[in-house]
Amino acid sequence: MLRPLLIILFAIQIGFVTARPQSYAVWAADSAIARKQGNGLTAQGAAIISYEHGELQWGLRLLFERTGNRTYFDYIQSGVDNVVTADGTPHGSYTLTDYVLDPLRVGPTFLYLYKQTKQTKYKAAADVFRSQLNSHPRTAEGQFWHKLRYFNQGWLDGIYMGEIFYAQYTTDFQSNNATAWSDITRQFQLMFKNTLQNETAPNSFGLLYHGYDFSHTTVWASPDRGHSPEVWDRALGWYMMALVDVLEIIPTSDPGHATILNILKTLAPRVRDAAHPTTGVWWLVITQPGRARNYFESSGTSMFIYSLLKAVRLGYVNDSDGSIVSAARKAYDYVTANWVKPTSDGTFDWQNTVVVGSLDQAGDFNYYVSQAVDVNDLKGLAAFLLASLEIERL
């Protein structure tokens, strides 16, 4: 007599665990939250200020603003409360005098929470981050070093980590600070100038190398500008996201807006054209398409989808023939078909994100393709959330 009831209950249970939101953005956010990712804590429960968490929080903020679902706001706030004391001191492995740009990616979340709640601890934490920039080491040209231990090196990654916070802090509290706006613009300009591929360079797509060493002392520095040897997809992805995000913040009346906009207009069609023609996605090492051991990588691909679609949506880049949106759609179709793997608990596993890419070794092709590829790496999952938000706006 109980068998039909058990069948019904089993069916209900299966329906529950396999149910998924129609929105990939919601599904990505809910999957990350279910795994307690990006909550200001390590897997062991220790407080940590992490740029990956800042990237996810940016996406959750946008999702909260779109859906009104308070779950996303509360998750952002609880995550920041894990790394900021009641008096506004940021902790979780953060030391100002380490002079690392990466932690500053959580800074925009401090500013957002202060704006929403008016709790002074968030402003105090943002003030600490902003004070770091006053003494952060720079090249002779004025580029922030990526980290104190990377002597005279500017990396594309650092633009996303530092400049979005720098710009948001300036617009919130020092909107007429022309010196700050000029400095922010200079960070983008110097990175572009010193890492742009020459037309005669091997495998040139007219894109940006991962970084450069202004002192020309590290093993990978080129003779001309000290740039690294390859275009790594995620480094370029960080820079592209920084371009489209900062243009929403810097005043259109400031000369820097036009300067940064011109960089975006230059790079966007080149990024589009660098995609693999069949799949529509991007190689891990863009400068070595089709080479053995190279592969299609999910974090950089998602970052490019987000950046290209946002650039078109906000009118920063002309897409009169629809080729940029079409390219982003094609890439997104590959992403969802190949890198989103539903699980039995209603979440999904995110595939094919390389764990790390650094310039602390040779910076060559063999280095990049030797790095581990992870499942549910937050750098890629958060980028997919952002890409999905843009796709769902179309």
Side-chain angles (χ1 to χ4, degrees), residues 193 195-207 209 224-225 227:
K193 180 190 79 167
T195 65
L196 181 67
Q197 289 186 286
N198 292 326
E199 291 182 3
T200 57
N203 301 317
S204 179
F205 289 89
L207 295 173
Y209 296 108
D224 58 344
R225 289 163 291 150
H227 63 71

Side-chain angles (χ1 to χ4, degrees), residues 234-288:
R234 189 159 70 225
L236 182 60
W238 291 129
Y239 188 83
M240 291 296 293
M241 292 204 300
L243 287 170
V244 295
D245 288 346
V246 82
L247 285 169
E248 280 194 296
I249 302 170
I250 188 170
T252 56
S253 58
D254 188 272
H257 190 278
T259 299
I260 295 171
L261 179 60
N262 284 334
I263 294 174
L264 176 61
K265 287 180 176 180
T266 299
L267 292 178
R270 297 178 182 180
V271 169
R272 174 201 60 200
D273 295 344
H276 182 250
T278 303
T279 64
V281 297
W282 286 265
W283 296 98
L284 172 80
V285 183
I286 293 177
T287 26
Q288 302 287 343

Side-chain angles (χ1 to χ4, degrees), residues 61 107-116 118 123 126 164-176 181 249:
R61 188 203 85 192
T109 313
F110 296 167
L111 296 170
Y112 176 69
L113 289 175
Y114 176 67
K115 187 178 295 184
Q116 296 298 313
K118 302 304 179 186
K123 169 65 162 55
I164 304 304
F165 167 70
Y166 192 179
Q168 191 63 59
Y169 188 97
T170 301
T171 202
D172 287 354
F173 305 113
Q174 304 171 356
S175 59
N176 295 320
W181 290 126
I249 302 170

Side-chain angles (χ1 to χ4, degrees), residues 35-251:
R35 290 189 289 265
K36 299 182 180 179
Q37 294 183 274
N39 64 352
L41 301 173
T42 66
Q44 293 73 38
I48 182 170
I49 293 179
S50 164
Y51 66 88
E52 299 179 33
H53 296 197
E55 182 192 7
L56 177 67
Q57 290 160 356
W58 185 269
L60 292 178
R61 188 203 85 192
L62 296 175
L63 189 58
F64 166 63
E65 292 172 351
R66 194 189 81 181
T67 65
N69 186 338
R70 186 80 186 183
T71 299
Y72 303 125
F73 180 88
D74 292 344
Y75 195 79
I76 294 168
Q77 186 170 21
S78 64
V80 167
D81 286 347
N82 283 329
V83 298
V84 173
T85 63
D87 69 353
T89 301
H91 60 101
S93 303
Y94 173 76
T95 302
L96 185 152
T97 52
D98 285 345
Y99 292 116
V100 179
L101 291 176
D102 290 343
L104 302 188
R105 192 61 195 84
V106 183
T109 313
F110 296 167
L111 296 170
Y112 176 69
L113 289 175
Y114 176 67
K115 187 178 295 184
Q116 296 298 313
T117 70
K118 302 304 179 186
Q119 292 187 39
T120 56
K121 68 176 183 177
Y122 301 127
K123 169 65 162 55
D127 289 342
V128 173
F129 276 13
R130 178 62 183 83
S131 70
Q132 176 182 322
L133 296 178
N134 294 333
S135 52
H136 197 100
R138 298 170 181 253
T139 68
E141 291 182 308
Q143 184 91 68
F144 290 129
W145 296 7
H146 189 64
K147 298 182 181 181
L148 178 62
R149 67 189 183 94
Y150 296 139
F151 178 75
N152 259 310
Q153 293 179 26
W155 298 9
L156 297 180
D157 320 36
I159 297 294
Y160 184 74
M161 307 310 166
E163 267 47 75
I164 304 304
F165 167 70
Y166 192 179
Q168 191 63 59
Y169 188 97
T170 301
T171 202
D172 287 354
F173 305 113
Q174 304 171 356
S175 59
N176 295 320
N177 188 341
T179 301
W181 290 126
S182 176
D183 191 27
I184 291 163
T185 302
R186 177 169 48 175
Q187 301 306 312
F188 284 89
Q189 285 179 298
L190 290 174
M191 192 64 66
F192 182 78
K193 180 190 79 167
N194 287 304
T195 65
L196 181 67
Q197 289 186 286
N198 292 326
E199 291 182 3
T200 57
N203 301 317
S204 179
F205 289 89
L207 295 173
L208 307 183
Y209 296 108
H210 187 168
Y212 72 99
D213 172 12
F214 187 72
S215 64
H216 292 60
T217 56
T218 196
V219 63
W220 45 255
S222 67
D224 58 344
R225 289 163 291 150
H227 63 71
S228 60
E230 303 288 359
V231 176
W232 178 46
D233 72 326
R234 189 159 70 225
L236 182 60
W238 291 129
Y239 188 83
M240 291 296 293
M241 292 204 300
L243 287 170
V244 295
D245 288 346
V246 82
L247 285 169
E248 280 194 296
I249 302 170
I250 188 170

